[in-house]
Amino acid sequence: MRTILITGPGGSGRTTVAAATALAAARQGTCTLLLGADRDDTLGAVLGVRTGPAPITVEPRLTAWRPDPAQGFRDGLAALQDRAASALDLLGATRLDPEELTPLPGADELALLRGLRDAALAEPRDHHELLVVDLPPAPRALALLALPEELRRYLRRLLPPERQAARALRPVLGRLAGVPMPAEALYEAAARWDLELAATEAVLADRNTVVRLVAEPGPAGVDAVRSATLGLALRGLRTDLLVANRVLPEDTPADSWLTGPLAQQRKALEEWQGTYDVRTTAHLGRDPRGTDDLAALDTPGVNGDVRPVEWPVTDRLAEDGVLVWRIPLPGAIRDELDLIRRGDELVLTAGPFRRIVPLPSALRRCTVDGAALREDVLAVRFRPDPRLWPQSR
Protein backbone atom coordinates (compact mmCIF):
# COMPACT_ATOMS: atom_id res chain seq x y z
CA MET A 1 0.00 0.00 0.00
CA ARG A 2 1.16 3.51 -0.80
CA THR A 3 0.81 6.23 1.82
CA ILE A 4 0.73 10.00 1.28
CA LEU A 5 1.05 12.11 4.44
CA ILE A 6 -0.14 15.66 3.79
CA THR A 7 0.85 18.63 5.94
CA GLY A 8 1.78 22.27 5.71
CA PRO A 9 1.39 25.59 7.54
CA GLY A 10 -1.84 26.20 9.41
CA GLY A 11 -4.53 27.66 7.16
CA SER A 12 -2.79 26.59 3.94
CA GLY A 13 -5.61 24.27 2.85
CA ARG A 14 -4.06 20.95 3.88
CA THR A 15 -7.41 19.24 4.47
CA THR A 16 -8.79 20.46 1.15
CA VAL A 17 -5.72 19.21 -0.75
CA ALA A 18 -5.82 15.88 1.13
CA ALA A 19 -9.46 15.36 0.17
CA ALA A 20 -8.84 16.42 -3.44
CA THR A 21 -5.79 14.12 -3.69
CA ALA A 22 -7.78 11.14 -2.43
CA LEU A 23 -10.68 11.96 -4.75
CA ALA A 24 -8.39 12.26 -7.79
CA ALA A 25 -6.76 8.90 -7.04
CA ALA A 26 -10.14 7.20 -6.52
CA ARG A 27 -11.51 8.53 -9.81
CA GLN A 28 -8.39 7.22 -11.55
CA GLY A 29 -9.26 3.72 -10.33
CA THR A 30 -7.26 3.45 -7.08
CA CYS A 31 -9.05 2.11 -4.01
CA THR A 32 -8.31 4.92 -1.52
CA LEU A 33 -8.75 5.52 2.19
CA LEU A 34 -8.73 9.14 3.43
CA LEU A 35 -7.77 9.42 7.09
CA GLY A 36 -8.16 12.49 9.32
CA ALA A 37 -8.37 13.27 13.03
CA ASP A 38 -9.73 16.81 13.30
CA ARG A 39 -12.43 16.95 15.99
CA ASP A 40 -14.32 19.68 14.11
CA ASP A 41 -14.82 17.40 11.08
CA THR A 42 -13.33 19.87 8.62
CA LEU A 43 -12.70 16.81 6.46
CA GLY A 44 -16.43 16.15 6.25
CA ALA A 45 -17.15 19.82 5.52
CA VAL A 46 -14.77 19.73 2.54
CA LEU A 47 -16.11 16.41 1.22
CA GLY A 48 -19.74 17.40 1.70
CA VAL A 49 -20.47 14.34 3.89
CA ARG A 50 -20.20 13.73 7.62
CA THR A 51 -17.19 11.66 8.67
CA GLY A 52 -16.63 9.87 11.97
CA PRO A 53 -15.48 6.71 13.77
CA ALA A 54 -17.22 4.48 11.24
CA PRO A 55 -15.60 4.55 7.76
CA ILE A 56 -17.96 6.08 5.20
CA THR A 57 -18.01 5.59 1.43
CA VAL A 58 -17.79 8.95 -0.32
CA GLU A 59 -17.57 7.53 -3.84
CA PRO A 60 -17.24 3.96 -5.17
CA ARG A 61 -13.46 3.78 -4.57
CA LEU A 62 -13.10 6.44 -1.88
CA THR A 63 -13.60 5.82 1.85
CA ALA A 64 -13.19 8.49 4.55
CA TRP A 65 -12.46 7.70 8.19
CA ARG A 66 -11.99 9.96 11.21
CA PRO A 67 -11.12 7.91 14.33
CA ASP A 68 -12.68 9.03 17.59
CA PRO A 69 -9.87 10.01 20.02
CA ALA A 70 -12.29 9.97 22.98
CA GLN A 71 -13.24 6.36 22.36
CA GLY A 72 -9.62 5.27 22.10
CA PHE A 73 -8.80 7.05 25.35
CA ARG A 74 -11.77 5.48 27.16
CA ASP A 75 -10.93 1.99 25.91
CA GLY A 76 -7.27 2.34 26.91
CA LEU A 77 -8.09 3.56 30.42
CA ALA A 78 -10.71 0.86 30.93
CA ALA A 79 -8.16 -1.79 29.95
CA LEU A 80 -5.62 -0.27 32.36
CA GLN A 81 -8.16 -0.38 35.21
CA ASP A 82 -8.86 -4.04 34.49
CA ARG A 83 -5.16 -4.95 34.54
CA ALA A 84 -4.59 -3.03 37.77
CA ALA A 85 -7.80 -4.20 39.46
CA SER A 86 -6.12 -5.87 42.44
CA ALA A 87 -3.92 -2.86 43.20
CA LEU A 88 -6.85 -0.45 42.89
CA ASP A 89 -8.99 -2.59 45.23
CA LEU A 90 -6.14 -2.77 47.75
CA LEU A 91 -5.85 1.01 47.74
CA GLY A 92 -9.60 1.47 47.98
CA ALA A 93 -9.60 3.49 44.78
CA THR A 94 -12.87 4.26 43.02
CA ARG A 95 -13.09 3.07 39.45
CA LEU A 96 -13.64 5.66 36.74
CA ASP A 97 -16.65 5.25 34.49
CA PRO A 98 -15.46 5.35 30.86
CA GLU A 99 -18.48 7.45 29.91
CA GLU A 100 -17.38 10.28 32.20
CA LEU A 101 -13.94 10.56 30.63
CA THR A 102 -12.83 13.20 28.15
CA PRO A 103 -9.66 12.79 26.06
CA LEU A 104 -6.45 14.43 27.20
CA PRO A 105 -4.46 16.87 25.02
CA GLY A 106 -2.66 14.92 22.33
CA ALA A 107 -5.37 12.26 22.06
CA ASP A 108 -6.15 13.39 18.48
CA GLU A 109 -2.57 12.73 17.38
CA LEU A 110 -2.47 9.33 19.09
CA ALA A 111 -5.77 8.38 17.44
CA LEU A 112 -4.32 9.36 14.07
CA LEU A 113 -1.21 7.22 14.63
CA ARG A 114 -3.38 4.30 15.71
CA GLY A 115 -5.56 4.75 12.63
CA LEU A 116 -2.48 4.88 10.40
CA ARG A 117 -1.25 1.61 11.89
CA ASP A 118 -4.65 -0.10 11.70
CA ALA A 119 -5.13 0.93 8.06
CA ALA A 120 -1.73 -0.48 7.12
CA LEU A 121 -2.39 -3.77 8.95
CA ALA A 122 -5.99 -4.17 7.78
CA GLU A 123 -7.31 -7.54 6.65
CA PRO A 124 -7.06 -8.14 2.89
CA ARG A 125 -10.81 -7.69 2.44
CA ASP A 126 -10.55 -4.20 4.02
CA HIS A 127 -7.22 -3.33 2.39
CA HIS A 128 -6.80 -0.19 0.29
CA GLU A 129 -4.24 0.53 -2.41
CA LEU A 130 -3.65 4.11 -1.27
CA LEU A 131 -3.83 5.79 2.14
CA VAL A 132 -4.04 9.60 2.20
CA VAL A 133 -3.56 11.10 5.68
CA ASP A 134 -4.59 14.64 6.60
CA LEU A 135 -1.92 15.50 9.17
CA PRO A 136 -2.08 18.47 11.59
CA PRO A 137 -0.20 21.72 10.75
CA ALA A 138 3.50 21.22 10.09
CA PRO A 139 4.95 21.87 13.59
CA ARG A 140 2.49 19.45 15.22
CA ALA A 141 2.84 16.99 12.35
CA LEU A 142 6.61 16.85 12.78
CA ALA A 143 6.23 16.14 16.49
CA LEU A 144 3.63 13.48 15.67
CA LEU A 145 5.86 11.75 13.11
CA ALA A 146 8.71 11.68 15.65
CA LEU A 147 6.56 10.14 18.37
CA PRO A 148 6.82 6.40 17.54
CA GLU A 149 10.62 6.44 17.36
CA GLU A 150 10.98 8.55 20.51
CA LEU A 151 8.54 6.48 22.57
CA ARG A 152 10.26 3.24 21.54
CA ARG A 153 13.57 4.71 22.60
CA TYR A 154 12.15 5.66 26.00
CA LEU A 155 10.74 2.15 26.44
CA ARG A 156 14.11 0.58 25.64
CA ARG A 157 15.80 2.82 28.22
CA LEU A 158 13.22 2.09 30.91
CA LEU A 159 12.96 -1.66 30.26
CA PRO A 160 15.98 -2.82 28.25
CA PRO A 161 15.55 -6.15 26.43
CA GLU A 162 18.22 -7.80 28.58
CA ARG A 163 16.24 -6.95 31.73
CA GLN A 164 13.03 -8.23 30.18
CA ALA A 165 14.79 -11.50 29.41
CA ALA A 166 15.32 -12.01 33.15
CA ARG A 167 11.68 -11.55 34.09
CA ALA A 168 11.24 -15.30 34.63
CA LEU A 169 13.60 -14.89 37.60
CA ARG A 170 11.56 -12.02 39.05
CA PRO A 171 10.16 -13.92 42.09
CA VAL A 172 13.60 -15.27 43.02
CA LEU A 173 15.30 -11.91 42.54
CA GLY A 174 12.62 -10.23 44.59
CA ARG A 175 13.23 -12.53 47.54
CA LEU A 176 17.00 -12.20 47.28
CA ALA A 177 16.95 -8.43 46.98
CA GLY A 178 14.25 -7.95 49.55
CA VAL A 179 12.52 -5.34 47.37
CA PRO A 180 9.50 -5.66 45.07
CA MET A 181 10.32 -6.34 41.42
CA PRO A 182 8.38 -5.01 38.41
CA ALA A 183 5.15 -6.92 37.85
CA GLU A 184 4.69 -9.23 34.90
CA ALA A 185 1.96 -6.91 33.59
CA LEU A 186 4.54 -4.14 33.22
CA TYR A 187 6.71 -6.26 30.93
CA GLU A 188 3.68 -7.39 28.95
CA ALA A 189 2.46 -3.81 28.52
CA ALA A 190 5.92 -2.64 27.44
CA ALA A 191 6.16 -5.44 24.87
CA ARG A 192 2.68 -4.64 23.55
CA TRP A 193 3.40 -0.92 23.29
CA ASP A 194 6.72 -1.57 21.57
CA LEU A 195 5.03 -3.83 19.03
CA GLU A 196 2.32 -1.26 18.27
CA LEU A 197 4.82 1.58 17.98
CA ALA A 198 7.08 -0.53 15.78
CA ALA A 199 4.16 -1.18 13.41
CA THR A 200 3.48 2.56 13.12
CA GLU A 201 7.18 3.33 12.70
CA ALA A 202 7.40 0.73 9.93
CA VAL A 203 4.60 2.48 8.01
CA LEU A 204 6.40 5.84 8.27
CA ALA A 205 9.73 4.31 7.18
CA ASP A 206 8.23 2.28 4.34
CA ARG A 207 9.61 3.02 0.87
CA ASN A 208 6.03 3.62 -0.34
CA THR A 209 5.37 6.36 2.23
CA VAL A 210 5.93 10.00 1.27
CA VAL A 211 5.11 13.41 2.72
CA ARG A 212 3.38 16.00 0.56
CA LEU A 213 3.70 19.65 1.58
CA VAL A 214 0.95 22.20 1.02
CA ALA A 215 1.49 25.97 1.26
CA GLU A 216 0.25 29.21 -0.19
CA PRO A 217 2.99 30.88 -2.26
CA GLY A 218 4.13 33.92 -0.31
CA PRO A 219 6.74 35.01 2.26
CA ALA A 220 5.13 33.12 5.16
CA GLY A 221 4.72 30.01 3.03
CA VAL A 222 8.37 30.09 1.95
CA ASP A 223 9.59 30.23 5.55
CA ALA A 224 7.21 27.50 6.70
CA VAL A 225 8.13 25.15 3.85
CA ARG A 226 11.85 25.65 4.47
CA SER A 227 11.42 24.78 8.16
CA ALA A 228 9.17 21.77 7.47
CA THR A 229 11.58 20.42 4.85
CA LEU A 230 14.45 20.53 7.33
CA GLY A 231 12.40 18.81 10.02
CA LEU A 232 11.31 16.05 7.63
CA ALA A 233 14.86 15.54 6.37
CA LEU A 234 16.14 15.13 9.92
CA ARG A 235 13.60 12.31 10.33
CA GLY A 236 14.66 10.70 7.05
CA LEU A 237 11.19 11.21 5.54
CA ARG A 238 10.73 11.73 1.82
CA THR A 239 8.89 14.68 0.29
CA ASP A 240 7.38 13.90 -3.09
CA LEU A 241 5.63 17.16 -4.08
CA LEU A 242 5.06 20.70 -2.92
CA VAL A 243 1.50 21.79 -3.72
CA ALA A 244 1.29 25.57 -4.12
CA ASN A 245 -2.31 26.09 -3.09
CA ARG A 246 -4.75 28.92 -3.90
CA VAL A 247 -2.67 30.30 -6.76
CA LEU A 248 -4.09 33.58 -8.06
CA PRO A 249 -4.74 34.03 -11.81
CA GLU A 250 -2.02 35.84 -13.74
CA ASP A 251 -4.49 37.77 -15.90
CA THR A 252 -5.37 40.12 -13.04
CA PRO A 253 -5.71 43.80 -14.15
CA ALA A 254 -2.62 45.88 -13.46
CA ASP A 255 -4.57 48.35 -11.29
CA SER A 256 -6.04 45.60 -9.08
CA TRP A 257 -5.20 45.34 -5.38
CA LEU A 258 -4.04 41.79 -6.17
CA THR A 259 -0.91 42.99 -7.95
CA GLY A 260 1.05 43.02 -4.66
CA PRO A 261 0.07 39.44 -3.67
CA LEU A 262 0.72 38.34 -7.27
CA ALA A 263 4.28 39.67 -7.14
CA GLN A 264 4.89 37.81 -3.88
CA GLN A 265 3.35 34.69 -5.40
CA ARG A 266 5.63 34.80 -8.43
CA LYS A 267 8.71 35.25 -6.25
CA ALA A 268 7.76 32.30 -4.00
CA LEU A 269 7.00 30.01 -6.94
CA GLU A 270 10.29 30.91 -8.59
CA GLU A 271 12.20 30.07 -5.41
CA TRP A 272 10.34 26.79 -4.89
CA GLN A 273 10.72 25.59 -8.46
CA GLY A 274 14.48 25.56 -8.09
CA THR A 275 14.26 23.14 -5.17
CA TYR A 276 10.97 21.20 -5.20
CA ASP A 277 8.70 19.39 -7.60
CA VAL A 278 5.99 22.07 -7.50
CA ARG A 279 2.37 21.57 -8.55
CA THR A 280 -0.16 24.37 -8.40
CA THR A 281 -3.87 24.43 -7.57
CA ALA A 282 -5.93 27.44 -8.58
CA HIS A 283 -7.81 29.75 -6.24
CA LEU A 284 -11.52 29.07 -6.88
CA GLY A 285 -12.58 32.37 -5.38
CA ARG A 286 -14.37 30.47 -2.60
CA ASP A 287 -13.75 27.71 -0.09
CA PRO A 288 -14.11 24.37 -1.92
CA ARG A 289 -17.09 22.33 -0.74
CA GLY A 290 -18.11 18.96 -2.16
CA THR A 291 -16.57 16.64 -4.72
CA ASP A 292 -17.31 18.92 -7.70
CA ASP A 293 -15.20 21.73 -6.21
CA LEU A 294 -12.45 19.28 -5.22
CA ALA A 295 -12.30 17.88 -8.75
CA ALA A 296 -12.03 21.43 -10.14
CA LEU A 297 -8.77 21.92 -8.21
CA ASP A 298 -7.04 19.40 -10.49
CA THR A 299 -4.88 18.15 -7.62
CA PRO A 300 -2.01 15.79 -8.54
CA GLY A 301 -2.41 12.11 -7.70
CA VAL A 302 0.26 9.57 -6.83
CA ASN A 303 3.80 10.53 -7.80
CA GLY A 304 5.73 7.34 -8.52
CA ASP A 305 9.07 9.03 -9.23
CA VAL A 306 10.39 9.66 -5.72
CA ARG A 307 13.97 8.89 -4.76
CA PRO A 308 14.58 7.23 -1.40
CA VAL A 309 16.31 9.18 1.36
CA GLU A 310 19.76 7.73 2.05
CA TRP A 311 22.27 8.42 4.82
CA PRO A 312 25.28 6.62 3.33
CA VAL A 313 28.54 5.83 5.11
CA THR A 314 31.51 6.40 2.78
CA ASP A 315 34.61 4.31 3.32
CA ARG A 316 37.69 6.57 3.11
CA LEU A 317 39.95 4.50 5.32
CA ALA A 318 42.41 3.86 2.51
CA GLU A 319 42.64 7.57 1.63
CA ASP A 320 42.76 9.47 4.92
CA GLY A 321 41.83 6.90 7.55
CA VAL A 322 38.22 7.98 8.19
CA LEU A 323 34.62 6.94 7.52
CA VAL A 324 32.19 9.69 6.52
CA TRP A 325 28.49 9.62 7.37
CA ARG A 326 26.53 11.84 4.95
CA ILE A 327 23.21 13.21 6.23
CA PRO A 328 21.12 15.31 3.79
CA LEU A 329 19.71 18.38 5.57
CA PRO A 330 18.20 20.75 2.98
CA GLY A 331 17.79 24.25 4.36
CA ALA A 332 20.09 23.71 7.34
CA ILE A 333 22.15 26.67 8.57
CA ARG A 334 25.69 26.01 9.76
CA ASP A 335 25.35 28.14 12.91
CA GLU A 336 22.18 26.29 13.93
CA LEU A 337 23.70 22.79 13.76
CA ASP A 338 24.92 20.88 16.79
CA LEU A 339 26.34 17.35 17.21
CA ILE A 340 26.90 15.36 20.37
CA ARG A 341 28.20 11.79 20.47
CA ARG A 342 26.64 9.88 23.37
CA GLY A 343 27.51 6.20 23.55
CA ASP A 344 26.23 4.49 20.42
CA GLU A 345 23.97 7.41 19.55
CA LEU A 346 24.37 10.75 17.82
CA VAL A 347 22.35 13.69 19.15
CA LEU A 348 21.72 15.88 16.11
CA THR A 349 20.18 19.35 16.35
CA ALA A 350 19.23 21.34 13.25
CA GLY A 351 17.49 24.64 13.91
CA PRO A 352 14.44 23.97 16.13
CA PHE A 353 14.58 20.22 15.50
CA ARG A 354 16.42 17.53 17.42
CA ARG A 355 16.83 13.81 16.87
CA ILE A 356 18.76 11.08 18.64
CA VAL A 357 19.83 8.49 16.07
CA PRO A 358 21.64 5.19 16.63
CA LEU A 359 25.01 4.99 14.91
CA PRO A 360 25.52 2.44 12.13
CA SER A 361 27.39 -0.59 13.47
CA ALA A 362 30.71 0.32 11.76
CA LEU A 363 30.70 3.79 13.33
CA ARG A 364 30.16 2.56 16.88
CA ARG A 365 33.84 1.56 17.00
CA CYS A 366 34.93 5.06 15.95
CA THR A 367 35.31 8.51 17.43
CA VAL A 368 33.91 11.68 15.86
CA ASP A 369 36.69 13.46 13.98
CA GLY A 370 34.80 16.52 12.73
CA ALA A 371 31.82 17.63 10.66
CA ALA A 372 31.07 20.02 7.80
CA LEU A 373 27.93 21.25 6.04
CA ARG A 374 28.27 21.60 2.27
CA GLU A 375 25.50 21.87 -0.32
CA ASP A 376 22.78 20.87 2.17
CA VAL A 377 24.63 17.70 3.22
CA LEU A 378 26.13 17.28 6.67
CA ALA A 379 29.28 15.13 6.46
CA VAL A 380 30.34 13.70 9.83
CA ARG A 381 33.86 12.23 9.94
CA PHE A 382 34.59 9.19 12.11
CA ARG A 383 38.07 7.84 12.86
CA PRO A 384 38.43 4.20 13.98
CA ASP A 385 39.17 3.82 17.69
CA PRO A 386 42.33 1.63 17.97
CA ARG A 387 41.00 0.11 21.19
CA LEU A 388 37.84 -1.17 19.48
CA TRP A 389 38.69 -1.49 15.79
CA PRO A 390 39.86 -4.95 14.63
CA GLN A 391 43.62 -4.91 14.04
CA SER A 392 45.04 -6.37 10.84
CA ARG A 393 47.90 -8.87 11.19
Side-chain angles (χ1 to χ4, degrees):
M1 181 178 69
R2 302 183 70 91
T3 302
I4 301 177
L5 309 172
I6 295 183
T7 187
S12 61
R14 307 175 326 278
T15 300
T16 299
V17 171
T21 301
L23 178 67
R27 289 188 173 181
Q28 291 168 4
T30 302
C31 187
T32 304
L33 174 63
L34 175 59
L35 177 65
D38 196 330
R39 295 189 195 183
D40 296 332
D41 196 16
T42 53
L43 191 62
V46 169
L47 290 168
V49 297
R50 184 180 296 276
T51 65
I56 182 172
T57 300
V58 181
E59 288 199 354
R61 285 179 291 273
L62 176 58
T63 302
W65 179 32
R66 190 168 53 89
D68 181 4
Q71 185 60 49
F73 177 68
R74 287 193 293 265
D75 292 345
L77 189 56
L80 176 62
Q81 289 187 139
D82 291 341
R83 289 194 297 271
S86 58
L88 293 174
D89 293 340
L90 181 64
L91 295 171
T94 303
R95 302 284 187 93
L96 293 172
D97 183 354
E99 296 304 320
E100 69 179 294
L101 300 174
T102 57
L104 296 173
D108 292 352
E109 285 81 356
L110 292 175
L112 190 61
L113 283 177
R114 190 179 295 113
L116 178 65
R117 179 205 64 203
D118 292 346
L121 301 178
E123 295 292 332
R125 64 179 180 274
D126 301 321
H127 195 69
H128 294 81
E129 298 170 88
L130 175 65
L131 174 63
V132 179
V133 184
D134 176 26
L135 290 177
R140 286 173 53 200
L142 289 166
L144 171 68
L145 296 175
L147 193 59
E149 179 182 270
E150 295 298 333
L151 287 180
R152 291 192 73 200
R153 180 176 170 274
Y154 297 153
L155 280 175
R156 289 193 296 270
R157 292 291 298 273
L158 292 171
L159 289 173
E162 58 271 17
R163 294 186 184 177
Q164 296 188 45
R167 63 185 180 183
L169 301 176
R170 181 178 57 84
V172 176
L173 294 174
R175 288 194 297 270
L176 292 175
V179 295
M181 302 296 288
E184 183 73 15
L186 178 61
Y187 291 111
E188 293 175 353
R192 183 175 62 255
W193 292 337
D194 185 70
L195 185 62
E196 293 178 357
L197 290 168
T200 306
E201 193 176 357
V203 177
L204 299 178
D206 189 270
R207 58 186 297 272
N208 290 317
T209 296
V210 295
V211 181
R212 184 166 296 183
L213 293 174
V214 180
E216 288 192 60
V222 169
D223 293 340
V225 167
R226 184 184 301 115
S227 177
T229 300
L230 177 59
L232 292 169
L234 188 61
R235 288 283 154 193
L237 295 168
R238 298 183 297 163
T239 303
D240 73 332
L241 299 175
L242 169 57
V243 178
N245 195 28
R246 303 186 185 125
V247 174
L248 300 171
E250 286 289 340
D251 56 356
T252 301
D255 58 351
S256 170
W257 66 271
L258 290 175
T259 53
L262 267 174
Q264 293 182 334
Q265 173 179 289
R266 294 189 194 102
K267 183 178 179 180
L269 287 173
E270 183 179 348
E271 180 175 337
W272 283 344
Q273 286 165 352
T275 306
Y276 306 94
D277 185 355
V278 182
R279 310 295 174 86
T280 60
T281 58
H283 200 307
L284 298 183
R286 62 184 183 279
D287 289 336
R289 289 292 183 269
T291 54
D292 290 341
D293 281 354
L294 293 176
L297 293 176
D298 194 23
T299 305
V302 176
N303 179 20
D305 185 24
V306 182
R307 297 177 58 186
V309 175
E310 297 179 347
W311 291 21
V313 176
T314 305
D315 185 349
R316 286 171 42 183
L317 292 174
E319 303 171 28
D320 50 14
V322 298
L323 299 170
V324 180
W325 196 13
R326 302 185 183 277
I327 303 174
L329 293 176
I333 299 174
R334 190 187 311 275
D335 293 341
E336 296 179 356
L337 282 176
D338 188 41
L339 289 172
I340 299 175
R341 167 75 182 271
R342 188 172 62 191
D344 289 339
E345 297 175 325
L346 189 69
V347 183
L348 177 57
T349 302
F353 307 107
R354 183 171 179 265
R355 185 184 180 191
I356 301 175
V357 292
L359 293 172
S361 57
L363 302 183
R364 295 174 187 173
R365 303 191 299 271
C366 303
T367 58
V368 177
D369 191 53
L373 179 68
R374 295 189 183 91
E375 297 180 352
D376 289 336
V377 175
L378 176 64
V380 188
R381 294 162 53 92
F382 290 82
R383 190 172 298 278
D385 187 336
R387 298 169 299 174
L388 303 175
W389 196 263
Q391 300 297 314
S392 59
R393 295 184 180 274

